[in-house]
């Protein structure tokens, strides 16, 4: 009897461990994760820095509430202007620096003969050009580079503006989000039933009747439940990610072979469903996110980008063009959201401070200089707010 209970406990422990590893997701340095416990109030979750490296870190999702309450948004790894493509995006997230993977290489449209992807890489003329957050992002970028490249030079600007405007289209994003909620809903409930079966009903039954008598029935029920979820996942995944057939196949196999994995199937579906929209759009779509500070930091970074070491003039022009477009569409989008009203109100000086950094908004007691945390961003005296904003907007 004693050894039977120990076997049951060991098994439960292994199942729980398998489940918990599915609650870990990798968040890249240029990605923002939005999470929620209830599905109503959303917040930006920071990954755990010591569980990561230079490219990203692990985020632990709350294992208890229903899955499928995580959305990521990824910044682009490139800048595209009507003249060409540069493997560099000057944008950084308010809490992070730029990833080391952006090379700054510039390729004019006239020299792009062939565009493709290799996993998460955009491939130009047979060479790996930029590393994206996901294969989906790489395919979308390759498609835009290809269509802009094939168009006449005069049409390129229109194509690129439309592409950037789409990343800031909150109505579109809201539509995708509510469709995802509708499709993922039943999967979420199925996961909850399976969760209760696995971690509540099974231990009780095993304690009452012993593992040996139940093991085959329990194993069969587990595989059956996981297969049902895997099938639902397969259909939903095909709808939202039609081109990602290998991700779809991998996950289905994992779920059937290792049933606890299927409990988090909804996370795999929601994770990247809004990923092509700018983080400011995702912050304004997800109700109750109240991420005013994030949105403010995001816009401040576009207005006062960190300096970069890219010497090629055409590359620098492309980076500036892209930053200016992002700022324009980002501001237009944020201004439409009521709860962000007045989010750019000027900073008030505290104590002895006479200046502040217009990017990170830390205050200083010295009148001039550069912010120690934001290379290339000059301090602004509290009296001269208007002046700096102008000079910084022209110097990029
Ligand atoms: Zn600063």
């Amino acid at each position: 009897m004693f050894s039977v209970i120990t076997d049951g406990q060991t098994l439960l422990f292994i199942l729980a461990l398998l489940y918990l590893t599915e609650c870990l997701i990798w968040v890249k340095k240029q990605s923002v994760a939005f999470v929620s416990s209830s599905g109503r109030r959303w917040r930006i979750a920071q990954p755990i820095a010591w569980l990561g490296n230079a490219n990203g870190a692990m985020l632990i999702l709350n294992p208890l509430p229903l899955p499928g309450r995580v959305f990521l948004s990824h910044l682009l790894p490139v800048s595209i202007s009507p003249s060409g493509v540069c493997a560099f995006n000057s944008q950084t997230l308010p809490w992070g620096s730029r990833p080391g993977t952006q090379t700054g290489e510039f390729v004019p449209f006239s020299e792009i003969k062939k565009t493709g992807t290799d996993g998460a890489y955009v491939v130009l003329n047979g060479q790996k050009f930029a590393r994206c957050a996901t294969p989906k992002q790489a395919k979308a970028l390759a498609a835009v580079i290809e269509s802009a490249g094939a168009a006449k030079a005069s049409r390129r600007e229109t194509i690129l503006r439309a592409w950037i405007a789409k990343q800031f289209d909150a109505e579109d994003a809201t539509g995708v989000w509510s469709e995802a909620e509708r499709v993922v809903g039943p999967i979420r409930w199925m996961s909850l039933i399976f969760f209760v079966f696995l971690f509540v009903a099974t231990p009780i039954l095993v304690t009452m009747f012993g593992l040996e008598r139940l093991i085959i029935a329990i194993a069969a029920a587990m595989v059956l439940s996981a297969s049902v979820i895997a099938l639902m996942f397969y259909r939903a995944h095909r709808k939202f990610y039609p081109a990602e057939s290998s991700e779809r196949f991998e996950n289905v196999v994992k779920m059937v072979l290792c049933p606890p994995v299927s409990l988090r199937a909804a996370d795999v579906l929601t994770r990247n469903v809004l990923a092509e929209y700018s983080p400011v759009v995702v912050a304004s779509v997800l109700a109750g996110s109240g991420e005013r500070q994030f949105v403010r930091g995001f816009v401040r970074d576009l207005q006062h980008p960190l300096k970069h070491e890219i010497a090629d003039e055409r590359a620098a022009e492309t980076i500036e063009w892209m930053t200016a477009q992002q700022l324009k569409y980002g501001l237009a989008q944020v201004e439409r959201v009521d709860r962000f009203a007045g989010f750019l109100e000027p900073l008030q000086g505290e104590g002895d401070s006479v200046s502040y950094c217009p990017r990170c908004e830390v205050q200083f007691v010295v009148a001039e200089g550069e912010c120690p945390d934001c290379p290339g961003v000059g301090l602004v005296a509290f009296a001269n707010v208007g002046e700096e904003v102008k000079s910084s907007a022209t110097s990029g």
Side-chain angles (χ1 to χ4, degrees):
M1 187 64 195
F2 179 72
S3 77
V4 168
I5 290 176
T6 308
D7 283 350
Q9 284 169 344
T10 311
L11 191 63
L12 187 69
F13 179 74
I14 293 169
L15 290 175
L17 212 60
L18 285 169
Y19 173 71
L20 288 175
T21 55
E22 286 303 300
C23 297
L24 289 173
I25 62 164
W26 183 254
V27 179
K28 295 220 160 120
K29 212 170 196 174
Q30 294 288 75
S31 304
V32 188
F34 294 84
V35 298
S36 169
S37 304
S38 62
R40 270 179 229 108
R41 288 192 58 79
W42 293 83
R43 63 185 178 85
I44 291 175
Q46 296 282 355
I48 304 163
W50 57 267
L51 272 179
N53 60 22
N55 299 322
M58 281 289 185
L59 173 69
I60 302 177
L61 299 174
N62 190 338
L64 280 185
L66 293 168
R69 305 236 197 263
V70 55
F71 292 95
L72 299 179
S73 172
H74 314 293
L75 298 187
L76 295 166
V78 299
S79 298
I80 310 179
S81 79
S83 61
V85 192
C86 177
F88 191 88
N89 180 1
S90 97
Q91 221 179 343
T92 54
L93 292 166
W95 53 80
S97 53
R98 293 191 186 110
T101 48
Q102 300 186 356
T103 59
E105 186 188 349
F106 177 80
V107 184
F109 275 116
S110 55
E111 285 171 23
I112 300 177
K113 304 285 173 255
K114 200 163 160 269
T115 314
T117 61
D118 179 357
Y121 282 91
V122 171
V123 177
L124 296 184
N125 300 333
Q127 299 283 327
K128 279 183 182 168
F129 180 73
R131 190 184 172 159
C132 295
T134 60
K136 187 186 177 190
Q137 190 186 40
K139 278 179 202 148
L141 265 183
V144 106
I145 294 170
E146 192 160 7
S147 75
K152 283 199 193 103
S154 56
R155 280 267 305 143
R156 243 172 238 156
E157 188 157 343
T158 319
I159 293 173
L160 293 175
R161 277 180 200 277
W163 166 65
I164 294 168
K166 174 119 174 34
Q167 294 160 33
F168 287 94
D169 190 338
E171 250 173 65
D172 209 47
T174 309
V176 174
W177 178 53
S178 40
E179 181 63 6
E181 283 292 299
R182 192 183 67 73
V183 172
V184 171
I187 299 176
R188 208 177 261 152
W189 285 107
M190 187 64 206
S191 307
L192 182 69
I193 295 169
F194 186 25
F195 183 90
V196 173
F197 167 75
L198 205 58
F199 294 115
V200 182
T202 306
I204 295 175
L205 288 172
V206 168
T207 313
M208 284 167 68
F209 302 105
L211 182 63
E212 275 167 23
R213 282 167 66 187
L214 292 177
I215 185 118
I216 292 177
I218 288 173
M222 272 168 56
V223 173
L224 185 71
S225 309
S227 304
V228 172
I229 296 176
L231 184 69
M232 292 164 93
F233 166 86
Y234 182 88
R235 288 200 186 132
H237 194 277
R238 197 173 49 186
K239 180 181 170 73
F240 291 114
Y241 310 94
E244 307 305 312
S245 51
S246 54
E247 184 188 81
R248 183 155 54 244
F249 183 70
E250 260 168 46
N251 278 286
V252 166
V253 171
K254 259 169 74 185
M255 286 176 209
V256 176
L257 294 182
C258 180
V261 171
S262 71
L263 291 169
R264 303 301 294 193
D267 288 342
V268 183
L269 290 170
T270 59
R271 212 154 56 188
N272 282 314
V273 85
L274 295 177
E276 63 197 89
Y277 298 99
S278 163
V280 289
V281 171
V282 183
S284 51
V285 167
L286 295 177
S289 71
E291 297 294 354
R292 273 174 80 97
Q293 201 52 41
F294 168 75
V295 171
R296 184 179 170 109
F298 189 90
V299 169
R300 290 292 189 219
D301 171 75
L302 287 169
Q303 286 173 329
H304 309 276
L306 302 178
K307 76 169 174 217
H308 56 70
E309 308 292 331
I310 291 163
D312 184 337
E313 217 170 272
R314 296 169 309 169
E317 273 170 22
T318 291
I319 294 165
E320 272 164 37
W321 188 85
M322 180 87 167
T323 305
Q325 297 301 318
Q326 308 257 56
L327 179 61
K328 183 181 137 196
Y329 286 100
L331 272 178
Q333 161 52 30
V334 174
E335 275 159 11
R336 282 197 289 268
V337 181
D338 287 344
R339 67 174 192 283
F340 295 143
F343 80 107
L344 277 181
E345 68 217 6
L347 207 62
Q348 299 297 319
E350 286 163 16
D352 294 335
S353 47
V354 291
S355 67
Y356 68 98
C357 165
R359 180 177 176 275
C360 68
E361 306 200 314
V362 169
Q363 303 195 2
F364 296 88
V365 289
V366 290
E368 53 192 76
E370 203 174 84
C371 174
D373 295 327
C374 310
V377 182
L379 300 183
V380 186
F382 272 109
N384 306 330
V385 175
E387 242 169 67
E388 217 292 329
V389 170
K390 244 187 268 155
S391 72
S392 161
T394 47
S395 70

